[in-house]
Amino acid sequence: MHRAGLLPTDYASFGAPEQVGRKLLAAAVQRGESDLGSIHGVRRALLDVIAKETTAEPLRIARRDRAPDGFVKYLFELDDAARIEAVRIPLPCEVPGADVSAYAGKEKKYIVCVSSQAGCALACAFCATGRLGFSRNLRAHEMVGQVLAVRAEADRPVRGIVFMGMGEPFLNYDEVIAAARILSHPCGGAIDARAITISTAGIVPAIRRFTADGHKFRLAVSLTHADARKRRALMPIERAHPTSELVSALHDHARARRTRVLVEYVLLGGINDSIADAEELTRLLDRRCVKVDLIDVNGDVGGFRRSTPEVRSEFLDVLARGGIPFAIRYSGGQDVSAGCGQLAAAGTHATVLPLQSAAPPQTGGD
């Protein structure tokens, strides 16, 4: 067992009360320690047993690649030689000449995009990860470990997590939720649960379960086309979980949680970016329940091209007239293939980022 994947109550199997579990979680995740030397007020015999039966070794970083806009892609090699990637996203963006006036006086921070599987079985037409096929689910500690590795080298705090890396999070539901709980626990990552987003391509039963479980983590759903037949060609998951059922589930989630679901829409030039496509999207979605996140397609997977600025503007005008809230996601990290849909667990030829001085660990309860 790995201590970065255990919640305080999980130590009950060792005979440890929850109070001791909180101290163990704080050591492994809040402070990122690989041993138990800093823990006091706990019987040495108990600590010896836990130290013998568990580990807290960090993930092995195989490569770091930094893009000019400040995005950093991490390549990890796991114990079984599986390879996964995570991305460090700077807020505000560091692209030269970018207007960051909106962040004046605000804290600079990082968001970490985390992988939940090695590979992916869903084979979305515009995603490089889908071309790899599915290897295996990640364990909770392997997801938490990605964040710990990024945080250990960060020069600003990690304040948010997006489960939008390699894999489909809701096909690894239990481990993803465990990782999110550890990262949001006050003795763990101490990240606000509302700043943790879990994105799914549309696993409807898992969305229903997520709603019933009442988690505070934010839900994002990848839609990409409002027409079910056309979506099927882009996202084969449509065959198992039709758009009608998916939209019903996300609307129900929004109403139950009294929050908007983030609807991700990858703009594909000439495929799903017409005025008619936008009008169909406004008819499909309840404007009170969603916020549309427009994403420019990245890379050359599938041979797609980006929408022109003029076509994208017309698309957004339709959403605005329909009262659909929207945002345009900045597609960062292009120079190192760190953008949405580009993660394929392979090194690049970009400049390798040197190790930085470790920032002070984030604080929380103990």
Side-chain angles (χ1 to χ4, degrees):
M1 288 187 288
H2 198 288
R3 293 193 293 278
L6 299 177
L7 285 157
T9 53
D10 294 330
Y11 288 97
S13 60
F14 295 99
E18 186 173 350
Q19 180 180 1
V20 171
R22 288 196 294 269
K23 292 185 177 184
L24 291 161
L25 175 59
V29 176
Q30 187 182 103
R31 299 192 295 275
E33 298 169 352
S34 59
D35 60 45
L36 305 178
S38 70
I39 297 178
H40 302 289
V42 179
R43 289 182 295 111
R44 176 51 53 187
L46 176 59
L47 291 179
D48 289 343
V49 170
I50 292 173
K52 181 180 179 181
E53 298 296 329
T54 66
T55 182
E57 290 302 309
L59 295 187
R60 191 178 83 81
I61 301 173
R63 188 179 180 92
R64 308 167 187 79
D65 294 295
R66 179 172 185 140
D69 56 9
F71 280 60
V72 178
K73 183 172 70 172
Y74 284 75
L75 175 66
F76 298 98
E77 187 170 278
L78 306 181
D79 291 341
D80 60 354
R83 288 188 157 202
I84 59 171
E85 290 178 328
V87 180
R88 192 184 80 184
I89 303 169
L91 289 180
C93 170
E94 297 176 357
V95 64
D99 180 7
V100 296
S101 58
Y103 289 88
K106 296 182 180 179
E107 177 187 57
K108 291 185 176 181
K109 58 188 176 182
Y110 289 123
I111 307 297
V112 181
C113 178
V114 172
S115 290
S116 59
Q117 296 178 316
C120 184
L122 298 189
C124 296
F126 46 83
C127 182
T129 307
R131 288 193 167 186
L132 299 176
F134 175 72
S135 179
R136 70 171 175 87
N137 286 329
L138 299 187
R139 302 294 302 275
H141 78 268
E142 292 170 324
M143 290 176 264
V144 173
Q146 295 170 56
V147 179
L148 298 186
V150 172
R151 189 189 68 181
E153 301 177 5
D155 57 351
R156 60 179 78 167
V158 172
R159 297 297 192 208
I161 306 295
V162 290
F163 286 88
M164 297 180 182
M166 299 171 66
E168 165 53 57
F170 275 178
L171 288 179
N172 189 17
Y173 185 93
D174 290 333
E175 294 293 320
V176 166
I177 294 300
R181 291 180 63 196
I182 289 166
L183 290 167
S184 62
H185 196 287
C187 298
I191 295 170
D192 189 336
R194 296 167 297 182
I196 296 177
T197 300
I198 302 175
S199 176
T200 175
I203 312 297
V204 173
I207 293 174
R208 296 287 187 189
R209 179 182 174 187
F210 184 72
T211 303
D213 288 347
H215 298 296
K216 294 181 180 179
F217 315 120
R218 191 173 188 188
L219 175 66
V221 174
S222 180
L223 185 64
T224 298
H225 214 305
D227 182 289
R229 180 181 59 83
K230 295 177 181 178
R231 183 175 188 259
R232 189 180 306 119
L234 299 170
M235 303 180 68
I237 192 175
E238 174 71 25
R239 298 187 182 97
H241 303 292
T243 294
S244 58
E245 296 178 9
L246 173 60
V247 172
S248 176
L250 70 87
H251 283 166
D252 287 348
H253 177 83
R255 293 173 185 129
R257 292 291 310 282
R258 297 184 180 182
T259 188
R260 295 183 187 273
V261 172
L262 193 65
V263 176
E264 297 161 315
Y265 194 98
V266 179
L267 277 175
L268 308 169
I271 302 294
N272 66 350
D273 62 348
S274 69
I275 290 176
D277 292 326
E279 290 172 342
E280 190 165 10
L281 186 62
T282 62
R283 290 192 295 269
L284 179 68
L285 300 175
D286 185 334
R287 63 185 182 183
R288 299 165 296 182
C289 296
V290 302
K291 180 178 180 179
V292 173
D293 193 19
L294 274 295
I295 306 167
D296 289 320
V297 67
N298 296 314
D300 57 3
V301 175
F304 298 105
R305 62 175 175 82
R306 289 189 169 188
S307 300
T308 65
E310 295 77 16
V311 169
R312 185 174 69 174
S313 180
E314 291 174 349
F315 189 96
L316 296 176
D317 286 344
V318 173
L319 296 187
R321 288 196 298 270
I324 302 288
F326 64 84
I328 301 172
R329 184 187 300 183
Y330 170 68
S331 295
Q334 295 294 300
D335 300 78
V336 297
S337 297
C340 180
Q342 291 186 294
L343 302 188
T348 71
H349 298 291
T351 302
V352 177
L353 178 72
L355 280 170
Q356 300 176 16
S357 299
Q362 300 172 45
T363 59
D366 187 43

